Amino acid sequence: MLDQEQEKIEGYVEHIVYRNEENGYSVVNISAGDDEITCVGIFRDINEGEYLEATGSYQVHASYGPQFRMQNYRIKIPDSGAAFERYLGSGAVKGIGQALAARIIRHFGDDARRILQEEPERLAEVKGISIRMAARISESVMEKSQMQNALIFLSQYGITLNLGVKIYNTYQDTLYQVLRENPYRLAEDISGVGFRIADSIAARVGIRPDSEFRIRSALLYSMNQAGAEGHTYLLKEELLENCRQLLELDPEIIEEKYLLDLAIEKKLVLKESILPDGSSEIHVYTAQMYFVELNTARMLHELNVRCVSDEADIKRQLDQMQDKDGVELDDLQRQAISMAVQSGIMILTGGPGTGKTTTINAMIRYFMSKGLDIALAAPTGRAAKRMTEATGYEASTIHRLLEVSGAADDSSPENTRFERNADNPLEMDVIIIDEVSMVDIYLMHALLSALVPGTRLVLVGDMNQLPSVGPGSVLKDMIRTETFPLVRLNKIFRQAAQSDIVVNAHKINRGEPVVLGNRSRDFMFLERDDARVIQRGVLRLVQEKLPGYVSARPFDIQVLCPMRKGALGVENMNAILQRYLNPPSPKKEEKETGSGLFREGDKVMQIKNNYQLEWYVKGAYGIIGQKGLGVFNGDMGVIKTIDHQTEMLVVEYEEGKLAEYSFRQLDELELAYAVTIHKSQGSEYPAVVIPLLTGPRMLLTRNLLYTAVTRARACVVLLGSSETFRQMVNNEMEENRHTSLDERILEISGQKDREV
């Protein structure tokens, strides 16, 4: 396609060929004099017969020929009697059809437009229009005119049409006052508007750099950013420094007044925490985050009760199961099962090959023998699928278990709505959650809200893996309190001990030396010191060597990168792998985005939770059968179709689930031939390839390497520097997250003096 210079067209909407009601994308025929122009773009509120003025550029679509791709538009109300009659008769004004439009023009002539806008009550002079109807018609005209004027006003501040509609719908006719007095309200009230956008608008409208609105907005923005980075609070000094860099103002000005004001208004919580040496520090929370942590601690405390059970009966049942099924359980595994039976909450942790799955299976059989209702769940679809395969019992995602019903903001887990909650709890006796290290504070809060005391909750995870993508460090904080029944499995069982993946993963976790080379059947290290050589090696492994070795497709082999940027980062490796694994073809549609290129057949990953995105499964003859809601961070699929006419892209996820994305939603997707190690959490692949050369010490850590290696089911191949590998094994530095669930638990359970 060839872009032309920005041009302007105007004319009547002759025919709306296609309209997507959800996102407003439309294909319309514009009658401009003797020409008819096909115009495509996002039109929020148009009707056939309306007169448009649009700016954009002409393009030639491969399938549909010349088109005018609209960037901005406005509806113009014609002046002349005949043109205005056509406008009114189009249905653009509610309550007026063609016959009534003709009567209005006959009665008022060329003065009809002025009457409609300035003296709408006079419409009642026309036969068939009552006073009440005249008022409704006037209201419709005013509403349309106000929205158009607002969008034009907002465009001068660089605000896009879509964001402009959001802003207008939020503020209506108070919009102008908000923008002129305090544009920072946009960052608080409207998703998609952050501090930087609001700050840019504020600068254009002349808001002073030391304005109260600006400082308050920067404080709240910094706290929200902290949540996005995994923290549940910030130290006061860190918050003030972040704001100083944003605002370029003295931190004392910020602290002196505005921090305390926000605390008084209950938007922030300031809490003094006493350190082991007797000194103290101030923790700053958003009010929502503080109470989510506090309520999570309270609900954990309420569930943490002892369940009355006969230990002799438990031992007898386990002995019978062991004799009947031929499954040997060691003392720790039997202890774990006994604890799960006798406890409201029980934590089971351990590395690969230590028998967690065997223990879970024995728990399930025990509880079922007692006639108890059991639910199994995991944070991601892939983790749930693994759990199903390992246990033979159906497992779901936690979102599905809680019956997710959407979110006020598609990407905000704190606003997620679940049908299962305190008013409609889960009717289960036992709930077993796997991969709990991936569960953030919001999801744990939602899960606990749907449980009642008496329900047994078994939490299974590996605390040595990377923390959750979302805020919090739930599993580690719970273990740190030493408040909940806990079993750590540490024995590597005989079959697992035959795997160098398992053996070396435990060595990495303990900081012990690992023998590197290519003699192992499932753990290989190829020494390379040049990034280009490593790139070629990765490609050859994925495309040629590993698929046959592990009986999998090239698409099933996963490249895991420690970083996003650089020659061996996710972005560059994806571009290389896409070029060779899914090369361009005249038969494959493509779509360029700000971050790269999507092609039909590409392997992609959802990179944020979208609780409102619908998916469906097509059955025989293309009939849609199963439907559902929500596609989640980390879900992987393949692009099936890209349609430039409708500006839609369809991705097929596991189990044949199809999800449709408008082109405006493509920032939710990334190529996934290579993914970061963080994004691979909870997943397992037939084989993984890990390029490893150099990088910042804070990123190349032991638990990052441990997480990467344990993602492989049959084979892991590392390419790069053995020195970097050894440095990672010795680097015990972990992601420094500020979380305080452990403090809240100890407070509530009475084991810690309450802070002042």
Side-chain angles (χ1 to χ4, degrees), residues 288 406-409 412-418 442 611:
Q288 183 181 38
D409 168 9
S412 298
E414 64 269 32
N415 293 329
T416 311
R417 295 187 299 272
F418 295 101
Y442 290 122
Y611 302 94

Side-chain angles (χ1 to χ4, degrees), residues 16 142 144 335 338 392 504 603 743:
I16 299 176
M142 289 296 293
K144 232 172 170 46
Q335 181 187 348
S338 180
N504 288 336
K603 180 180 179 181
E743 292 184 44

Side-chain angles (χ1 to χ4, degrees), residues 250-320:
D250 187 339
E252 289 184 11
I253 297 173
I254 303 167
E255 179 186 1
E256 213 168 88
K257 173 175 171 53
Y258 302 111
L259 195 57
L260 289 174
D261 282 352
L262 287 168
I264 291 168
E265 293 170 23
K266 296 185 169 23
K267 291 189 175 180
L268 297 180
V269 172
L270 309 183
K271 193 166 182 68
E272 184 180 21
S273 181
I274 308 301
L275 301 177
D277 64 2
S279 62
S280 66
E281 58 189 19
I282 302 296
H283 296 175
V284 185
Y285 304 76
T286 64
Q288 183 181 38
M289 184 70 81
Y290 177 77
F291 288 108
V292 163
E293 251 192 359
L294 182 64
N295 285 326
T296 299
R298 176 186 56 78
M299 291 185 287
L300 285 169
H301 178 68
E302 289 172 357
L303 277 177
N304 190 25
V305 296
R306 183 169 177 81
C307 303
V308 179
S309 300
D310 185 343
E311 287 196 44
D313 179 64
I314 297 171
K315 181 180 183 305
R316 186 166 54 253
Q317 288 278 341
L318 293 179
D319 289 341
Q320 289 175 1

